[in-house]
Amino acid sequence: MEYLLTSDQMKLLDNNTIDKIGIASSVLMEKAALSVVSAIDEECANAKNILVVSGIGNNGGDGIAIGRILHLQGRQVRIVVIGDRQHSSPETKKQIEIAEKYNIKIYNTFDKNEYNVIVDSVFGIGLTRSVEGQYKKAIHFINQAKGFKIAVDIPSGISADTGKIMGCAVKADLTVAIAYKKLGHVFYPGAQYCNRIKVADIGVYGADEICFNFSYNKKDLDKLPQRSNDSNKGTFGKALIIAGSNNMSGAAYLASLAAYKMGCGLVRIFTPLENREILQTLIPEAVLTTYDTKQFSHKSLEDAIAWADVINIGPGLGMSDIAKQILETVLKKHKCPLVIDADGINLLAKYEQLLTKNQKNIIITPHMKEMSRLSKRNINDIKNNLIENATEMAKKYKLICVLKDSRTIVADYNKKVYINQSGNNGMAKAGSGDVLSGIITGLLAQKMKPFESAALGVYIHGVSGDEASNLNGCYSTLARDIAMNITRALH
């Protein structure tokens, strides 16, 4: 697990380290500088001609310290400071003084030399305004120059809180995040400008006490439900997947396949009679309960609801009156965790009275258009404020909201926010969301708690997509490839 901080949270931890623990800010700055120098050694060991472009804030002080260390190693270094040095932060003024005592010249203009490495330390995480004037020219110069570009903490011009470009921004080859990743490192377009990210441990800790935003990595697969050798199919849960409509069976297949691949013991598909033959062929492991769309029986549905340990409703369900009746019945009768996906969400958007604040153990999994219909907000507003929108929806209905995007957000009503970093653009294919709902359902069937099931499910879905794309390429990856690669993702 890694925490993803806001700029204010990072500043608070910095201040706590300095004021309460007693480590001087100059020591933290020196450790940050050494971390960047180490990254340069790893990435460009033979680089001898290096340009350091610094600002006058503390991030600029880091840059000047980096330049000094590199100079004392015997490399050719040109340090350029952008801005009025008289207005430098106290720490940066001190770094300038130290550099000058080592007879290191500091410039305020660029030259025409070509550099192996360019270090960007113009702005840090405190940038809140649009980049203009000499700073804009400096960023343009860095982007146009040849050489390997390393950003200190975050590329200059990127908002550390949102990932937005503040007018213009440095396009780094590598970003050395100081102490922790920030939100701006992972949200687009900032993530693209950061490129690869290395996190430098400089002795600042405590994110677990103040931060609610986090992400998973491979180590977090140890959160998977434990499987006992003394078990049977009932041990690992019974999942009811209410999916598909007349002659639309693909979504039901993908969700069911994913639930089984995730470890669910038994899957029952509740679907129209017309889908029986194809689903029996595609996934013979599933039990089928079919219904006549012309003479719908509520009894068979209620029996299936009572049987289930977890219910997934919505993939390919359609928007018919029967679909509405099915969703209404499920919401009234379910006593187990419930995943609402796809057309289930569209029905909620159309019939707002169906979803009340008294529901329990519900996970909704909207993509941008579905969230727009549900929240009555435009897609741009949602996309630009993913955490806020997901959290607000979770709080409003006391549920868990899985808001799907290039950085999928999982929010619950108790402040916790999971931000996913796994996955790739090859997953932007029809059926990918059905697979995700099936993965989450499979985890819920094994008695994993709803929020943890949603967060870990999103992570595993992304890793499965990465495995699929590694095998097939991004262009050729299909949703069923994602489901089939759950096996590889878990090992």
Side-chain angles (χ1 to χ4, degrees):
M1 177 189 292
E2 66 176 355
Y3 291 95
L4 304 173
L5 275 63
T6 65
S7 57
D8 285 345
Q9 288 169 338
M10 189 65 240
K11 290 170 188 174
L12 177 61
L13 293 183
D14 274 336
N15 291 336
N16 285 346
T17 305
I18 295 164
D19 299 334
K20 295 182 180 180
I21 295 177
I23 299 177
S25 60
S26 59
V27 173
L28 296 178
M29 188 169 281
E30 204 72 12
K31 292 185 76 172
L34 286 167
S35 297
V36 177
V37 171
S38 177
I40 292 172
D41 290 339
E42 290 175 13
E43 299 287 338
C44 310
N46 298 320
K48 294 183 178 179
N49 204 15
I50 300 170
L51 173 66
V52 178
V53 187
S54 296
I56 56 176
N58 283 356
N59 193 255
D62 291 341
I64 294 164
I66 292 163
R68 183 225 325 141
I69 294 168
L70 292 168
H71 173 86
L72 295 175
Q73 288 179 346
R75 309 200 198 197
Q76 293 293 319
V77 181
R78 183 181 180 94
I79 303 174
V80 176
V81 173
I82 309 299
D84 186 349
R85 293 187 207 178
Q86 298 302 314
H87 295 148
S88 298
S89 69
E91 290 85 352
T92 299
K93 282 182 179 178
K94 186 65 177 176
Q95 288 295 341
I96 292 171
E97 289 175 12
I98 294 170
E100 288 176 339
K101 287 177 181 178
Y102 276 108
N103 296 317
I104 299 170
K105 189 172 182 180
I106 296 178
Y107 299 86
N108 57 15
T109 59
F110 298 106
D111 60 8
K112 294 182 180 180
N113 285 344
E114 290 191 1
Y115 295 92
N116 307 118
V117 174
I118 301 170
V119 177
D120 159 39
S121 62
V122 179
F123 295 117
I125 62 172
L127 182 66
T128 57
R129 65 184 187 280
S130 183
V131 178
E132 297 175 348
Q134 60 185 323
Y135 296 104
K136 184 175 182 179
K137 290 178 181 177
I139 289 174
H140 181 73
F141 178 89
I142 293 169
N143 285 338
Q144 292 298 310
K146 296 178 181 178
F148 189 84
K149 300 176 180 69
I150 297 182
V152 180
D153 207 5
I154 195 164
S156 294
I158 298 296
S159 165
D161 291 334
T162 66
K164 293 177 183 175
I165 301 169
M166 309 298 283
C168 63
V170 169
K171 295 178 180 177
D173 296 299
L174 175 70
T175 297
V176 180
I178 307 302
Y180 293 97
K181 280 186 185 177
K182 289 72 177 181
L183 291 172
H185 288 125
V186 300
F187 283 129
Y188 289 97
Q192 222 161 344
Y193 281 67
C194 291
N195 210 337
R196 290 187 295 122
I197 299 172
K198 290 184 177 181
V199 179
D201 181 354
I202 65 167
V204 176
Y205 308 116
D208 57 323
E209 298 176 5
I210 64 169
C211 183
F212 298 101
N213 304 319
F214 68 98
S215 190
Y216 283 154
N217 53 45
K218 273 282 190 179
K219 292 179 181 178
D220 291 295
L221 290 177
D222 63 8
K223 300 180 189 298
L224 283 166
Q226 297 299 305
R227 296 177 70 85
S228 170
N229 289 331
D230 183 18
S231 60
N232 56 61
K233 61 179 178 286
T235 307
F236 304 119
K238 298 173 292 183
L240 173 63
I241 295 183
I242 303 172
S245 51
N246 194 354
N247 295 317
M248 295 285 288
S249 56
Y253 160 67
L254 291 168
S256 301
L257 175 63
Y260 265 135
K261 284 283 186 179
M262 201 60 248
C264 180
L266 184 61
V267 173
R268 179 186 296 272
I269 305 174
F270 190 83
T271 193
L273 179 63
E274 291 83 357
N275 294 332
R276 174 181 289 280
E277 186 174 345
I278 190 167
L279 286 173
Q280 284 179 328
T281 303
L282 287 172
I283 187 160
E285 298 89 347
V287 176
L288 261 67
T289 298
T290 59
Y291 59 89
D292 188 337
T293 54
K294 295 178 182 177
Q295 293 182 319
F296 181 68
S297 167
H298 282 270
K299 172 104 175 33
S300 62
L301 174 59
E302 290 177 10
D303 288 345
I305 293 170
W307 167 89
D309 296 317
V310 57
I311 301 171
N312 176 341
I313 183 170
L317 187 65
M319 297 290 290
S320 67
D321 184 61
I322 288 178
K324 179 197 170 188
Q325 291 178 47
I326 291 172
L327 178 59
E328 194 168 18
T329 301
V330 169
L331 287 169
K332 285 181 179 177
K333 300 288 185 179
H334 84 97
K335 295 181 180 179
C336 60
L338 173 62
V339 180
I340 305 177
D341 184 37
D343 285 330
I345 296 168
N346 291 328
L347 285 165
L348 291 178
K350 186 174 180 180
Y351 304 103
E352 296 178 48
Q353 72 277 11
L354 292 180
L355 191 59
T356 70
K357 296 178 182 179
N358 298 320
Q359 299 291 336
K360 292 183 179 179
N361 294 331
I362 290 181
I363 299 171
I364 60 171
T365 59
H367 58 51
M368 288 291 111
K369 283 188 178 179
E370 291 163 351
M371 187 65 167
S372 178
R373 296 182 192 117
L374 194 60
S375 65
K376 307 296 187 287
R377 293 181 177 174
N378 67 65
I379 291 175
N380 283 338
D381 174 63
I382 297 168
K383 196 171 180 67
N384 290 330
N385 300 280
L386 290 172
I387 292 177
E388 293 86 345
N389 279 279
T391 302
E392 186 175 319
M393 183 62 66
K395 287 181 178 178
K396 182 177 180 180
Y397 292 108
K398 296 292 189 291
L399 48 69
I400 292 155
C401 180
V402 178
L403 181 53
K404 296 182 290 193
D405 196 37
S406 53
R407 291 288 187 239
T408 292
I409 305 298
V410 181
D412 75 357
Y413 47 90
N414 291 318
K415 292 186 178 181
K416 287 188 293 185
V417 176
Y418 171 78
I419 302 167
N420 190 57
Q421 296 183 68
S422 63
N424 60 84
N425 57 42
M427 301 173 69
K429 303 279 177 63
S432 180
D434 304 320
V435 174
L436 172 59
S437 74
I439 290 173
I440 295 171
T441 300
L443 290 169
L444 288 166
Q446 297 168 79
K447 298 181 174 56
M448 199 171 192
K449 292 181 179 179
F451 180 81
E452 285 73 15
S453 295
L456 190 60
V458 168
Y459 173 71
I460 291 169
H461 180 249
V463 176
S464 303
D466 289 334
E467 294 286 353
S469 292
N470 288 339
L471 290 173
N472 305 310
C474 289
Y475 289 96
S476 301
T477 293
L478 300 177
R480 65 172 173 263
D481 298 321
I482 300 171
M484 295 305 295
N485 276 280
I486 293 170
T487 306
R488 295 170 66 92
L490 299 182
H491 294 86

